Amino acid sequence: MEREIIQTLDGSTTIHLKEWDECYHSKHGAIQEAQHVFIKNGLSLFPNQAVSILEIGFGTGLNAFITLLESKKFHQSIHYVGVEAYPVNAAEVIAMNYVTELNAISDEALFKKMHESNWDEKVFLHPEFELTKRKQFFDEIDAVEEFDLIYFDAFGYRVQPELWSTAIFKKMFTALRPGGKLVTYAARGVVKRSMIEVGFTVEKLAGPPGKREMFRASKAIESV
């Protein structure tokens, strides 16, 4: 599938898949979308505590890198697992301008290490951020109550509806600990129904720039 690097409206780059007319991040702003969906409406719900995060769609590493910067800023311990079936190649990683756009030149080596680290091996990018990249399909995930937070950043329902199925969300529900959250840029009714069917409580929130709404799903805290 033909791919090209494009600049989004906030100045940050993303990858565009021409055949699908689909991007890894929002054309309205890759960094703005990541910060709004996954940090503001996800990570910020877990202040002053260790957090275990599962990312569905590691892609360019943008969400992981922003989370790493947040971890360093707030001295927050984070265990991060990024799942990706088709890793981004080295040339594409080099073309990403996230380090400069995030004013993170001092952390450029960490961004490179994030992508150069071996798949399926744990690596400490700094003392409070542990990363494991898993090269696997989403339907192969078999975690049980392992994560506090899920960044669900798969390609859109329009091009890959199977990634938004009840079966996939059942795996997400099982992977979360009681009280856990799942955040995604998506806001389709069919996605909400699948989430509710497997047991999630779903909130509709204001979306990132260029998108009116997004979803946050919660797993109930079990009663004692």
Side-chain angles (χ1 to χ4, degrees), residues 11-168:
S12 57
T13 52
T14 191
I15 298 171
H16 179 238
L17 304 178
K18 291 185 177 181
E19 183 179 330
W20 285 351
D21 189 25
E22 181 78 354
C23 290
Y24 275 63
H25 308 286
S26 172
K27 291 181 180 180
H28 296 280
I31 287 176
Q32 288 181 353
E33 177 189 49
Q35 290 175 328
H36 179 87
V37 175
F38 303 112
I39 305 303
K40 178 181 178 181
N41 288 299
L43 183 61
S44 68
L45 302 179
F46 299 87
N48 306 313
Q49 66 184 90
V51 183
S52 187
I53 299 173
L54 172 65
E55 181 181 15
I56 302 301
F58 183 77
T60 64
L62 173 59
N63 299 330
F65 187 53
I66 291 178
T67 302
L68 167 61
L69 297 179
E70 291 290 307
S71 171
K72 291 186 66 182
K73 179 180 178 181
F74 294 106
H75 303 288
Q76 184 174 23
S77 178
I78 292 178
H79 167 62
Y80 198 103
V81 174
V83 177
E84 178 62 57
Y86 302 100
V88 171
N89 66 48
E92 290 172 322
V93 172
I94 292 171
M96 296 297 109
N97 65 356
Y98 304 143
V99 171
T100 54
E101 289 298 310
L102 288 164
N103 297 312
I105 299 300
S106 62
D107 294 301
E108 184 173 14
L110 293 180
F111 182 71
K112 291 180 179 179
K113 185 176 180 180
M114 178 179 289
H115 285 282
E116 292 170 352
S117 64
N118 293 329
W119 290 85
D120 301 305
E121 290 185 13
K122 292 181 181 179
V123 58
F124 277 93
L125 297 181
H126 77 88
E128 295 174 311
F129 191 95
E130 177 190 280
L131 172 69
T132 302
K133 298 184 300 183
R134 294 181 185 166
K135 188 177 179 181
Q136 68 178 157
F137 294 103
F138 302 156
D139 61 5
E140 297 172 339
I141 295 170
D142 58 4
V144 178
E145 295 190 359
E146 185 178 336
F147 299 98
D148 304 295
L149 176 61
I150 294 175
Y151 294 170
F152 201 91
D153 200 18
F155 285 129
Y157 184 91
R158 177 181 63 85
V159 297
Q160 286 196 304
E162 69 277 8
L163 302 183
W164 303 84
S165 67
T166 300
I168 293 296

